[in-house]
Amino acid sequence: MERREFIKGTGSALGLAGLMASGVGSAESVPNASLSYQYQLNYAPHLGMFKHLAGDDPIDQLNFMADMGFKAFEDNEMKSRSLDLQKKMAETLRMREMTMGVFVCHKIHWHKPSLSSGDADYREAFLSEVRESVEVAKRLNARWMTVVPGHVDLRQDMGYQTANVIEALNYASDILEPHDMTMVLEPLNFRNHPGLFLTKIAQAYQICKAVDSPSCKILFDVYHQQIQEGNIIPNIDRAWDEIAYFQIGDNPGRNEPTSGEINYLNIFKHIHQKGFKGILGMEHGNAGEGSEGELAVIKAYQESDRF
């Protein structure tokens, strides 16, 4: 069943607040609710975020996101999905006028040196995966793909490791530039991902400046950077010309805005005032469970977008 049919209708008097108070328990509980909202920024949910309200089918979930007013979508696992599903999702995104956000373009080695090591065989395997990702991106009309350089190499000075990463990303940029595609480098925090090479925005900024390509930019994940270094808005300003993508998650908990300590209302307002037209990926869990938790996510984004 098309989930958008649940949301269409005559505009029930039961709005979002009323639905939350009523304790909805399934997608069928939301047939005529007028929940859609016109967001000022391009927030991108992921599969599973609204599975109780939309059902398990990925296409139904995409339609539900569109019905809720979301204009973008991201999927870290897109590359591993079947060709048939990729094509169906691409067609749905096209029909619903949604923009595809990031997917992870290569296998990330969490616990051993990778691009930082300078190993030629690993670098070539990485570049082969970038080439494969170009075809996935074409299929989804996607422009961005996530890159995580991997673990730090304790046997090498940080300067040599940085040079190794820059060299690999130069080769990758040569692959992506003809297709107008961009890899976005994601610094990750020490608590969730100890021992990684790339952890701070200034470090990513240095690397992007050295690569000097429109195909190598920064993914600014606010959750990771709140833990790693804080200073969110000043770092956004300082690295602005190299930031191509944002991801969202509150701290503690890595759930929706308003569930933790981060003032997302101010951050979103600042990003909007700077004229950002890209995507802000909703890479987080839901603080609450079931349908009520999913409705709380929608409510949190509506509240955080009112500036």
Side-chain angles (χ1 to χ4, degrees), residues 74 141 292:
E74 70 172 25
N141 194 28
E292 289 188 11

Side-chain angles (χ1 to χ4, degrees), residues 134-186:
V134 167
E135 299 308 310
V136 177
K138 286 180 180 178
R139 197 170 297 130
L140 276 296
N141 194 28
R143 291 184 53 202
W144 305 276
M145 54 189 75
T146 304
V147 167
V148 175
H151 209 269
V152 70
D153 187 345
L154 295 176
R155 294 180 177 85
Q156 293 193 52
D157 184 271
M158 200 64 171
Y160 294 123
Q161 294 182 68
T162 301
N164 291 336
V165 171
I166 290 169
E167 183 178 23
L169 297 179
N170 271 319
Y171 286 120
S173 295
D174 289 341
I175 295 169
L176 295 172
E177 282 183 16
H179 304 284
D180 193 27
M181 295 176 186
T182 302
M183 58 184 162
V184 284
L185 311 183
E186 183 177 12

Side-chain angles (χ1 to χ4, degrees), residues 250-266:
D250 215 336
N251 182 60
R254 200 172 188 176
N255 292 312
E256 67 269 14
T258 74
S259 64
E261 67 183 359
I262 303 176
N263 189 337
Y264 269 108
L265 179 65
N266 279 355

Side-chain angles (χ1 to χ4, degrees), residues 271-288:
I271 291 170
H272 181 263
Q273 288 177 339
K274 291 181 76 69
F276 186 70
K277 303 299 182 185
I279 291 176
L280 299 91
M282 298 159 60
E283 195 188 35
H284 57 73
N286 299 355

